[in-house]
Each structure stands twice: as C-alpha cells, then as structure tokens.
Amino acid sequence: AELKKASKRLSCHKRYKIQKKIREHHRKVRKEAKKHGRKKPKKDPGVPSAAPFKEELLREAEQRKQRLEELKQKQKLNRQKEHEKKRKLEAKKNAAKTKEKAEGKESSRKSKAKTNKLPAKNSKQWFCRELKKVLEASDVVLEVLDARDPMGCRCPQLEQAVTCSGGDKKLLLVLNKIDLVTKENLEKWLNYLNKEFPTVAFKSATLMKDKTMEQVTKRRVRVDLARTTQCFGSKCLLKLLQEYGKTQNRAIQVGVVGFPNVGKSSIINSLKGVRACNVGLTRGVTKSMQIVQIDKQTKLLDSPSIIADPSNSALALALRSIINTEEPGSADVLEGVHAILNHCNKKQVMMRYNIPDFEDTEEFLALLAQKRGMLKKGGVPDTENIAQLLLSDWTGAKVSYHSQPPEPQRPPPYLTEDKIAEMQQCFNLKNLEEENNRTVEALKYPSPANSIIFQSAGMANGTIEENKVIEEVSAWENLETSKEEEEEDEEEEDFTESDYDEDDVEEEMDESRAQVSRKAKLGKRETGPTGSEKETAENEHSNSPSLSLDRKAEEDDAYDFNTDYV
C-alpha cells in the first residue's frame, strides 16, 4: 500500500496566528521605511485624456521605445560578431600550431618523448627513483625489519642490488619494534639473521620533540614520557657506524631503507634525538630522499618505502604494500584483513578481542564492530571502517605478534660465503653481540600468552627498477593523462586533412573534446585493479592455521607502550 501524503491542513488558531504575524511584520517594515524616508516609487500617470495632441505624444513615446530596442539588438549582434571573429582567429592559430607539430614530430619520436617524461611526484615510479638515489649515494645501507615478521620485511632484490653493486657498500639489518615480541623469539631471530648480515636489535623512541619547536616555560601537567621517549639500541648502532667511518678515514653516508611502516624515519629520529623526519601511521609518509646530519662523520639518508611487487602473496601485499587505507571498504583493505586472519591462530584472536567463535572474516569484523560500537544507521555493523582500523593497527605498532625463524636452509644465490664475509668485514661482531645482549636484557617483553602466533609468508619481492613498476593510476590521474594523450591524437587526425574549413573550427573542436571525455571515462573503468594474482596467492596459504588481530580502539598512539622498561 502506498503511503499517504501528509495533510497540509492547519487549525484555525494556527492559521489566524500566522496571518496576524504577517500583518505585524508588514507594519514594522512600513514603519522602518518611513523612518528612513523611503517611499514607494510613484507610477507614471501617463498622458491625461484632456491633454491636446494626446495621440501624437503616445505615438512618439512608442517610436522612442522601438528605437531603443533596435539599438540594443544591433549592439548585441555586433558583440556576437566580434566574439565569432576572435574564436575563428584562435582556431586558425591552433590549427597552424598542430599542423607544424604533426609535420615536425614523427610517431617514434613521440613515443620516446613520452617514455622520457619525468614520473609524477608521489607516484610509485617516483618512489623507485628516490630509493635508487639513496642506494647510489650510501656507503652503508640499513635494511629495517619489523621484529614481528623479519623474514617478510626482507627484500631479496634490494639485498642483491647492494651486495652485487661492486663497490665497498655494506648492508646492515636493523631489527626494529623488538618490544612487541617475546624475548625467546627475539633471541632466535638475532641468532638466525647474524649468520647472514650484522644485525642490530632496536627499539625506536616515539613522541619525539620537534627540532623546530620553541621551548615553552609555562607550567604544564606532569606526564611520564620516560617509556615513550626512551630508545634502545641507538648507542650500539651509532658505535658500529662510527667505527666503520674510522676504518674508511672519511665521512660516510648511511641509507635507511625498507618496506612501509617498519620504522625507518623513527630510527633516524631516535639516532638524532629530535623529530627530524615526519612519521605517521599512514603508509608512504616519506615521499623523497631526506638528509639528516648526525655528526661530522655520519649522514643519514631517509628514503621512501620499497614498492611491493604485485606477484607477492595476499599477506605480503596487505602488510608491505602502500594500500590506500583512507578509502574504507576498498577491496585491498578487506582482502588484506582476510589474509592476515588466515595466517594467525583463531583461538588467540578470540581471546585477544574477547569475541565468540566466528566462521569467516565478515562475521569476525561484524562482531568486532558491534563490540567497539562502530555501527551505521539502523545498528548495522560498520565492517568497512573496522577493517581499515585493524589493518592500520597491524601495520603500525599496536598488535603484538611473532613469527618463527625458518629452518636452516641454503642462502639465496646472491649471498655466497665470500659475500657474507665481505659484509661482516670492518665490523666488530663480538662488540655487536654484547651490545645486543644488553639491549635484550634491558627491555621487558610481552608474555607469550598475549602475543599472537603468526605464520610468515617469507621474503617479499620488491620493485627497485623504475621501468619495472606497474603503476596503479588513480581515477583523477588516469583522467588527466588520457585527456592529454587523446587530445594530441585527435588534433593530429583532424588537422592532417587537406580541405580544412575555417568556419567549422568550433564544431570540430567540440566534437574532439566530447570524444576525449568519453574515452577518459572508458579508461577510468578499464583501470580497475585485477584480483586474480591476489586470489591465487591466498589459495597457496589456505591450509595455514586460521585467524587473528590486535588491540583496543581507544589507543591512538602509533606505538604500544603496555610494557614496562627496566
């Protein structure tokens, strides 16, 4: 049954009241007008009927009106003609320019010019170019690893590029976020990684004071920042770099590289002692190379994140790629949460979030959204936003999970015994081991019961060469590029004709613009991300233990400081 429209009837009391208010308002307006001396404009009384020659006067008035209207029409036509002339002149100039371009440039030169164009800033190609700059300028490269999944943070392409560079470049591993794993697990990883590269255990400081911040002497509320600002492993790392600089007898440059959200900029801030680089939970905060002077002999080079190759598993893409988490409900975010949950222990996830048994990822997200009060209109669980929140927690430093080192196996082909010895040369490994032991003893770690067992997907492939980047162009970027390309192509087609009609310039240009907009819309539809590779990668890990995630939504800090430091 159709709903009836609401009645517009009013009670007499209400209707009379409205009429009364209107009368009062009009009275007030008239009163104000009298005060300011504003009176109604007097109407033209016209020619009185008793006036002599009345008909002649009326005829003259009508003729005057007609003359004024004719003048206005003439002026309007003249303006239109001038505009048309200007448009035709501009069209002629554009036609001449495009003809010259079409004659002077061949198709091969045009394709070369397109390939030689500089990549757009903040694109994946730009990140690769900046990363390459850092690698070329560095004497020592620090590959930053997340202690929760060190193997997943290692990039074989990067390690091969550094070890096989032919120069005296050294590669060090920095195991960051060590306060988020158990002590036994950390010791296992240090023993495993030290067999290949010198490894430093590190815990970054957070809530650093900005170097540009002025000192304020006002009285403030006392806040215990000892736990948040305290850093572990910085002395060990600085000592290692300074000793290497002394052996080289020159100032050295140290490049800090790694996948997104492993803590590259936080390490630089910890070594500098102030907030020299921007840090944040969002991925891709660092857009270009940044130089930070530590002392006279050491410079640190901050770099953009390594671009994860699309051929990686769904888990690696979820944790290591630059996913746009600002778009809730996107396929990448939901697939990422599904991949993470499938590589964790289901019981631990249920205990962690205090959630009953669930069958799939959607049910888990619905239960968690209800628990945290993230509901849409009508009490529907907001699974899209809760998935976004969980993914940012896992890539940040809120979730405590740990993975086990793999069984002893052959090192990759680029890492021969000679290369391992070359990388360890010039470093005092005994001192490094002692300093790491001190760092390990100084921290208090989460209990094994609170840390989720995580199954790593192994090394993550990264793209370092700019030419190999598969750029996932956003909608507005695709629209702009397609417009530019299609405009050039359409102009060439239009102006290579021998019989060019000057009067039809506007029509042709309008048609070309319409075609460009249509093709841009088609391009926008065609550039959607394909999920076939991600689905096949997920199927490979389908036999792994199911499901897990992390902590309270009310925690807003980038780091979890639920541990006490000694």
Side-chain angles (χ1 to χ4, degrees):
E2 292 182 2
L3 293 171
K4 291 182 180 180
K5 290 183 180 178
S7 175
K8 293 182 181 179
R9 287 183 178 182
L10 295 174
S11 63
C12 291
H13 174 73
K14 198 168 186 180
R15 188 167 67 250
Y16 296 150
K17 194 175 181 181
I18 290 168
Q19 290 172 1
K20 187 180 177 183
K21 289 282 181 187
I22 291 169
R23 285 197 300 274
E24 285 175 3
H25 172 71
H26 288 322
R27 200 179 300 120
K28 195 181 282 184
V29 170
R30 287 196 298 273
K31 200 173 181 181
E32 289 292 325
K34 278 183 183 178
K35 279 183 185 177
H36 296 292
R38 292 176 189 170
K39 294 179 180 179
K40 288 182 182 178
K42 288 183 180 180
K43 290 182 181 179
D44 184 11
V47 181
S49 56
F53 314 111
K54 179 182 175 181
E55 289 179 2
E56 290 178 11
L57 290 172
L58 290 171
R59 220 177 287 123
E60 281 177 12
E62 281 178 12
Q63 286 172 1
R64 231 178 283 124
K65 274 186 186 178
Q66 284 176 1
R67 267 186 250 122
L68 283 170
E69 284 176 6
E70 285 172 6
L71 257 175
K72 283 180 183 177
Q73 287 293 332
K74 280 181 184 177
Q75 287 173 355
K76 195 175 182 181
L77 288 170
N78 289 334
R79 280 197 299 271
Q80 285 176 355
K81 284 179 183 178
E82 284 175 8
H83 283 306
E84 284 175 7
K85 281 180 185 177
K86 284 179 183 177
R87 284 175 190 165
K88 283 182 181 180
L89 284 170
E90 285 175 6
K92 281 182 186 178
K93 287 176 185 177
N94 292 333
K97 283 179 185 178
T98 47
K99 276 183 182 178
E100 287 173 9
K101 283 180 184 177
E103 290 170 1
K105 289 183 181 179
E106 295 176 1
S107 60
S108 60
R109 288 181 186 177
K110 200 171 187 182
S111 62
K112 284 180 185 178
K114 282 180 184 178
T115 53
N116 292 333
K117 279 181 183 177
L118 285 170
K121 199 168 184 181
N122 302 340
S123 65
K124 291 184 179 179
Q125 289 181 343
W126 175 269
F127 288 171
C128 282
R129 178 169 287 197
E130 292 295 309
L131 179 62
K132 200 172 182 182
K133 280 185 196 175
V134 172
L135 292 176
E136 287 172 357
S138 302
D139 301 305
V140 180
V141 177
L142 302 181
E143 187 179 12
V144 184
L145 311 178
D146 191 329
R148 299 172 293 180
D149 183 19
M151 194 54 72
C153 296
R154 289 182 66 177
C155 176
Q157 289 78 14
L158 173 76
E159 292 179 5
Q160 186 175 1
V162 176
T163 53
C164 303
S165 59
D168 295 330
K169 288 187 193 295
K170 302 289 181 185
L171 182 66
L172 295 177
L173 301 180
V174 180
L175 204 59
N176 194 22
K177 303 183 185 180
I178 57 173
D179 58 326
L180 297 175
V181 295
T182 59
K183 186 178 179 180
E184 295 78 12
N185 186 256
L186 175 61
E187 287 170 348
K188 286 179 186 177
W189 274 112
L190 286 172
N191 292 332
Y192 177 83
L193 296 171
N194 271 316
K195 291 174 184 176
E196 295 181 7
F197 296 103
T199 308
V200 181
F202 203 94
K203 186 262 169 188
S204 302
T206 55
L207 299 180
M208 299 289 293
K209 191 180 289 184
D210 195 342
K211 63 179 179 181
T212 59
M213 193 185 291
E214 295 179 1
Q215 293 292 332
V216 182
T217 56
K218 288 181 181 179
R219 191 175 176 181
R220 291 183 177 181
V221 180
R222 290 183 180 180
V223 180
D224 184 17
L225 298 175
R227 292 192 302 168
T228 60
T229 56
Q230 197 169 3
C231 173
F232 294 89
S234 58
K235 289 179 182 178
C236 173
L237 185 55
L238 281 173
K239 192 176 179 182
L240 208 64
L241 296 174
Q242 286 165 358
E243 284 176 359
Y244 178 73
K246 285 175 185 177
T247 59
Q248 300 297 308
N249 292 323
R250 61 183 174 84
I252 60 167
Q253 291 187 336
V254 183
V256 184
V257 299
F259 282 103
N261 279 116
V262 291
K264 300 182 291 295
S265 300
S266 297
I267 286 173
I268 294 173
N269 291 342
S270 300
L271 294 174
K272 180 71 176 173
V274 292
R275 190 174 177 178
C277 303
N278 286 331
V279 293
L281 282 173
T282 55
R283 309 186 192 187
V285 173
T286 306
K287 307 289 185 187
S288 56
M289 184 175 77
Q290 186 177 353
I291 301 170
V292 179
Q293 186 86 35
I294 298 298
D295 53 36
K296 290 181 181 178
Q297 297 297 317
T298 313
K299 279 182 184 177
L300 293 181
L301 308 179
D302 195 9
S303 69
S305 304
I306 301 169
I307 301 300
D309 196 86
S311 62
N312 284 312
S313 64
L315 178 66
L317 289 172
L319 294 174
R320 310 289 165 232
S321 65
I322 303 174
I323 295 175
N324 185 12
T325 56
E326 291 180 4
E327 294 180 4
S330 67
D332 290 334
V333 176
L334 295 172
E335 282 178 18
V337 172
H338 180 70
I340 289 168
L341 291 172
N342 280 337
H343 285 76
C344 297
N345 190 308
K346 186 177 180 181
K347 288 181 181 178
Q348 287 181 328
V349 172
M350 289 161 59
M351 289 177 69
R352 180 79 174 183
Y353 291 99
N354 197 14
I355 282 174
D357 193 10
F358 54 92
E359 291 183 1
D360 53 13
T361 309
E362 288 183 5
E363 189 180 352
F364 167 77
L365 292 172
L367 289 168
L368 189 61
Q370 284 176 346
K371 182 174 175 57
R372 294 192 175 178
M374 294 183 74
L375 305 173
K376 292 182 183 176
K377 193 174 181 181
V380 179
D382 192 355
T383 55
E384 298 167 354
N385 277 321
I386 199 73
Q388 176 189 353
L389 180 67
L390 285 175
L391 189 58
S392 62
D393 285 354
W394 272 72
T395 53
K398 284 193 174 183
V399 184
S400 175
Y401 62 91
H402 64 277
S403 58
Q404 295 297 331
E407 295 177 1
Q409 55 188 356
R410 286 183 182 179
Y414 60 84
L415 205 59
T416 59
E417 290 182 3
D418 295 335
K419 287 289 180 186
I420 291 171
E422 187 184 333
M423 289 295 121
Q424 293 177 348
Q425 195 179 358
C426 303
F427 294 113
N428 192 336
L429 298 179
K430 285 185 180 179
N431 286 346
L432 174 61
E433 190 177 351
E434 289 173 4
E435 291 290 338
N436 279 339
N437 289 334
R438 286 177 194 166
T439 304
V440 170
E441 292 298 326
L443 273 169
K444 189 173 181 181
Y445 303 91
S447 65
N450 294 331
S451 185
I452 297 169
I453 298 169
F454 178 78
Q455 186 179 354
S456 178
M459 284 191 179
N461 294 319
T463 308
I464 297 172
E465 295 296 327
E466 185 185 337
N467 300 329
K468 294 180 183 178
V469 174
I470 300 170
E471 191 71 43
E472 294 177 5
V473 185
S474 63
W476 64 271
E477 284 175 344
N478 180 32
L479 187 64
E480 287 181 357
T481 52
S482 61
K483 272 185 182 178
E484 289 173 5
E485 290 172 5
E486 295 297 336
E487 277 176 4
E488 290 176 5
D489 296 339
E490 291 295 330
E491 283 172 356
E492 279 184 9
E493 288 174 9
D494 290 340
F495 296 116
T496 46
E497 296 177 3
S498 57
D499 50 342
Y500 182 81
D501 189 6
E502 294 175 358
D503 295 329
D504 296 331
V505 174
E506 284 182 60
E507 294 177 5
E508 288 180 6
M509 290 186 78
D510 290 336
E511 285 174 8
S512 67
R513 282 178 197 141
Q515 288 174 4
V516 168
S517 62
R518 282 187 222 115
K519 290 180 181 178
K521 286 175 185 174
L522 287 170
K524 197 172 179 182
R525 291 171 196 162
E526 290 170 5
T527 52
T530 58
S532 59
E533 293 177 356
K534 293 181 182 179
E535 288 171 7
T536 53
E538 283 182 9
N539 292 332
E540 292 174 7
H541 299 281
S542 61
N543 297 326
S544 57
S546 61
L547 295 146
S548 165
L549 280 183
D550 177 79
R551 174 148 302 173
K552 298 178 182 177
E554 56 263 24
E555 292 179 6
D556 293 326
D557 295 337
Y559 227 75
D560 178 15
F561 302 108
N562 228 5
T563 56
D564 297 326
Y565 301 109
V566 179

